[in-house]
Amino acid sequence: MRGHPTLATVAATAALLACASCSGTSEPAPGAHSSSTATTRTTTAPAGPLTLTRGPGFDRTGAFTPLMTCDDPRDYSPALNFTNVPTGTRELALTMVDLDIHKIHWLQLGIRPSAPGIGAHHLLPGAREALNDFGEASYDGPCPPHGSTHRYQLTLYALHEPMPASFDGSTPPARTLQEIKRRAFASAVLVVPYTRH
């Protein structure tokens, strides 16, 4: 009868549908593809924002100890930890500025992006220190007047391109800091106090 498929037509259609469903050349479902991509991103991207934290050696309140300051002849630079360095970082830079008198105490360049941090009084291979406001290409620890407390801002910068080798122990510190900020696309801040007795 017209308008109703024959038994042979129904059987042929069912066979074609079964074949299509087992074909190895079909594309994965859009949802499955997105899920796979999301998993890949999760394993390669940082878990959160760039972070700078204290390493060993600070006192129990989180302040500098005299060993890290002008009150000790060793004047050790602090140990610091880096986490969640962004994808695309070509180089890390580290600075320390006295927030109360706006003096640059430390400029460290050329830190590799894979570094998990730095040890106390330690310069990683490939890293270098640039001229600070005290006329030295090194770390100069906190040195507020006796009886006062100053706050020191340590900043870790993720740079999209490395700092040129021309930024060294002879470049004015303000210029070096300005260039670091110009090349940075992410940063993390840690403010540490020091009271000089």
Side-chain angles (χ1 to χ4, degrees), residues 31-115:
H33 185 268
S34 298
S35 174
S36 172
T37 305
T39 303
T40 303
R41 285 182 184 151
T42 302
T43 56
T44 58
L50 178 64
T51 306
L52 175 65
T53 55
R54 295 168 179 81
F58 291 85
D59 76 12
R60 61 182 180 173
T61 70
F64 285 107
T65 60
L67 178 64
M68 307 175 189
T69 73
C70 66
D71 289 323
D72 190 293
R74 289 165 289 185
D75 197 9
Y76 277 9
S77 59
L80 299 164
N81 302 318
F82 315 151
T83 51
N84 301 324
V85 174
T87 303
T89 301
R90 297 285 305 283
E91 180 178 295
L92 295 170
L94 185 64
T95 68
M96 188 173 95
V97 178
D98 184 330
L99 295 176
D100 295 285
I101 58 171
H102 308 290
K103 289 282 187 185
I104 299 170
H105 281 249
W106 195 21
L107 294 167
Q108 190 173 145
L109 315 174
I111 304 168
R112 65 180 187 272
S114 59

Side-chain angles (χ1 to χ4, degrees), residues 44 98 105 116 122-123 146 158 167-168 189:
T44 58
D98 184 330
H105 281 249
H122 183 69
L123 195 64
H146 286 285
F167 285 83
D168 55 20
V189 170

Side-chain angles (χ1 to χ4, degrees), residues 174-191:
R175 183 167 168 244
T176 302
L177 183 56
Q178 181 181 30
E179 188 61 22
I180 289 171
K181 290 179 177 179
R182 191 183 74 79
R183 292 167 186 260
F185 69 98
S187 63
V189 170
L190 175 64
V191 176

